[in-house]
Amino acid sequence: MGLVAVALFLSKRRPGAWTLGVPPTVVVALSAWWFPFSGTQPMSFGSASMPLLYAVLVALLVPREWVTVRITAAVYALSVLLVWVISSQIGSNITRLSMLFAGAALVAALPFTVPRSRKWFALVLACAGFVVWIGVKSVNDVVHTTRGPPGHESWRRWSTSCRRSARSAAGWRSCRPVRTARPRRSTPT
């Protein structure tokens, strides 16, 4: 909401900017005062590159009439650069915003472009790239961060064995989980 408030403020729609911008600012300020925190969230240029790319793509590919969306994308791109340069608590958490809204903005712009034009193909390619980025990022997060209770890390063991066996001659067929047969209960006669 803060980015949209800044975009509204820059497009001289001040009442909407104040309405959207003040409440989140008050909540964040009170939260920081009541629950102080410290430390930084690391962010490499690699993790900043895709949000930055999609902010630029949204700013360039949405219709020119969507001034607020274009300004919001530009402010977001500047925010990503600042968070990458200045180490803070925000860090790589800023990437989530583009993961939520960039794809929706690009898909929403598709009906407003001339079919089979260069801009239309650029939008389709950007949407496909977005889906690939989100899919790869999601799988990567699950594989590298999922932990079960102690002694129950079967997902990590299974995925590691699959990655190893995918390189072997057997391929992915050896990755299937094995079901053990349960003994049948005898029915009373």
Side-chain angles (χ1 to χ4, degrees), residues 61-145:
L61 295 177
V62 298
R64 295 210 182 274
E65 299 82 28
W66 296 9
V67 176
T68 306
V69 174
R70 294 166 68 100
I71 293 173
T72 303
V75 169
Y76 177 72
L78 180 65
S79 301
V80 170
L81 280 175
L82 287 174
V83 167
W84 173 65
V85 170
I86 302 167
S87 186
S88 69
Q89 291 92 359
I90 298 170
S92 62
N93 291 319
I94 200 166
T95 62
R96 293 183 185 143
L97 193 62
S98 63
M99 290 177 163
L100 289 172
F101 294 112
L106 292 171
V107 169
L110 267 174
F112 296 96
T113 57
V114 178
R116 306 210 187 275
S117 64
R118 286 182 184 170
K119 189 173 186 177
W120 186 82
F121 281 114
L123 269 170
V124 170
L125 187 63
C127 289
F130 181 80
V131 169
V132 169
W133 172 44
I134 295 299
V136 168
K137 180 72 174 147
S138 300
V139 169
N140 188 32
D141 287 348
V142 167
V143 168
H144 292 292
T145 61

Side-chain angles (χ1 to χ4, degrees), residues 8 17 33 60 103 116 133:
L8 289 174
W33 181 43
L60 294 176
R116 306 210 187 275
W133 172 44

Side-chain angles (χ1 to χ4, degrees), residues 2-4 18 25 28 30 37 52 70 82 107 111 120 122 143 148 150 154 159 163 177:
L3 291 173
V4 176
W18 291 113
T25 305
V28 169
L30 288 175
F37 49 89
L52 188 62
R70 294 166 68 100
L82 287 174
V107 169
W120 186 82
V143 168
S154 60
S159 65
R163 278 185 264 138

